[in-house]
Amino acid sequence: MSRWDEWGWYPKPAPKRPPPERGIKVKKIGATWWGQRWIEALEQLSWEYSSRLARGRTYARAGRVHDLEVAPGKVTARVTGSRPTPYKVTLRLAVLDRGAWDQAVVEMAKQAVFAAELLAGAMPKEIDQAFRASGRSLFPAKAKDLQTACSCPDWANPCKHVAATHYVLGEAFDKDPFLLFELRGRGRDAVLGALRKLRAGAGGTAAAASEARAEEPIRAVALTGKDPADFERLSGPIDQLHFFRIEAPASPAAVLRQLGAPPSWSLDETPAEVLGALSAAASALARELALRPSDEAAPLPAGVRPTR
């Protein structure tokens, strides 16, 4: 079947294929300030293609993006559309050089809030100040900073497939801000390890940060659908634990703030405001039970009776 418009006859587009089972469905785009900052970068650099961005959001919510992989300087994904073969999407963001990273880590080490918030799974709001010392930015600031490619025939940049991948990546950053660090060339262990050594007195210079940097290569991170049966199964052997500490969180209820409000939430207060105190109390109780000597009986909560 064909259609007619002012330009003449054109074939009716093929119906879209259903989203794959392993597709990544976005629930809330930009739930954190850093996730929103990533989305804003795309929208500011691509304002002339707002229609593609809207279609990209629809694709992201429908779970059409799959096989998403994050590696230093590069993100790849597949997007299922109307054709039998999924489209291949590539995003490129320049890896920051060693000098820029070392200087940024030195700036982070000057304030305890950086290490505290990163350990709590949050991106410090002052992160731009740390990278500004080396004249760089953690987020793309110019159109040339973010290069995109897609195997679809659409000439627009971004096309809806690139936009969908960008939105899915924004939610991934919401859940794990260290993915943004890895995309820029330095992994979680390297950043936190250097921060610990500098905060402990290893020296506040770029040379000290470089020396404290972890030498292991950054592994690519693949975000795909997981089998629920594998949730509690170890992915590989773990080293024997010799010494560890159980400390109070630097930022209580950080997970609640990071997840944000679910779509069905109707209260004016955020989940963190409503459940934050309960979360802090549960955390304190869990820490108390974990640190209690094994031969000391733990009191049962009020209203709970022992079973026989």
Side-chain angles (χ1 to χ4, degrees):
M1 180 182 294
S2 299
R3 295 181 178 180
W4 170 266
D5 63 9
E6 59 180 323
W7 305 104
W9 290 100
Y10 65 95
K12 181 180 179 180
K16 291 185 176 60
R17 300 175 67 85
E21 293 183 0
R22 65 183 185 279
I24 307 170
K25 291 185 178 181
V26 169
K27 296 181 179 179
K28 185 170 184 178
I29 300 174
T32 61
W33 77 263
W34 59 90
Q36 185 61 37
R37 177 76 175 276
W38 173 260
I39 299 304
E40 288 175 355
L42 171 73
E43 295 176 344
Q44 291 175 359
L45 301 178
S46 312
W47 58 269
E48 67 270 33
Y49 300 120
S50 58
S51 62
R52 266 78 169 187
L53 298 182
R55 294 172 190 168
R57 286 192 293 269
T58 300
Y59 267 44
R61 293 191 177 102
R64 293 189 172 276
V65 180
H66 49 95
D67 299 322
L68 180 71
E69 293 189 0
V70 181
K74 182 180 180 181
V75 176
T76 58
R78 302 282 181 174
V79 181
T80 294
S82 57
R83 296 187 178 183
T85 302
Y87 299 107
K88 182 178 181 180
V89 173
T90 303
L91 308 180
R92 295 184 183 275
L93 188 63
V95 171
L96 299 179
D97 58 58
R98 178 181 297 185
W101 265 113
D102 291 344
Q103 185 61 44
V105 172
V106 168
E107 294 299 320
M108 293 183 208
K110 293 179 180 179
Q111 300 184 46
V113 66
F114 280 99
E117 293 192 15
L118 288 172
L119 285 171
M123 182 73 74
K125 291 187 176 181
E126 298 80 9
I127 194 69
D128 274 345
Q129 298 178 11
F131 286 90
R132 196 176 298 126
S134 61
R136 304 299 182 88
S137 174
L138 183 62
F139 299 90
K142 302 177 182 177
K144 65 179 181 180
D145 293 341
L146 184 64
Q147 300 180 9
T148 66
C150 181
S151 59
C152 77
D154 192 353
W155 50 266
N157 185 18
C159 64
K160 58 188 175 185
H161 311 106
V162 167
T165 302
H166 200 103
Y167 287 124
V168 169
L169 193 59
E171 187 181 59
F173 290 154
D174 282 335
K175 297 178 179 179
D176 185 0
F178 287 100
L179 281 177
L180 183 55
F181 282 1
E182 292 185 11
L183 180 58
R184 287 300 229 170
R186 190 161 289 191
R188 179 183 188 278
D189 292 341
V191 173
L192 293 181
L195 279 176
R196 288 191 186 99
K197 291 186 178 181
L198 290 174
R199 293 288 301 172
T205 66
S210 181
E211 182 179 353
R213 179 175 55 89
E215 296 298 334
E216 63 218 325
I218 300 175
R219 295 179 297 177
V221 178
L223 302 177
T224 57
K226 296 295 184 182
D227 185 349
D230 293 334
F231 182 74
E232 294 183 349
R233 185 178 300 141
L234 291 177
S235 58
I238 60 175
D239 297 332
Q240 184 179 1
L241 297 177
H242 295 285
F243 301 98
F244 63 91
R245 294 181 300 177
I246 301 178
E247 299 179 345
S251 179
V255 174
L256 290 174
R257 291 195 301 274
Q258 184 176 343
L259 292 176
S264 59
W265 190 263
S266 60
L267 300 179
D268 293 334
E269 297 84 356
T270 65
E273 292 171 338
V274 175
L275 303 174
L278 293 175
S279 175
S283 175
L285 178 58
R287 191 166 58 255
E288 178 186 350
L289 295 175
L291 298 176
R292 189 190 306 274
S294 58
D295 57 350
E296 183 178 340
L300 292 174
V304 177
R305 297 181 179 179
T307 58
R308 297 184 184 275

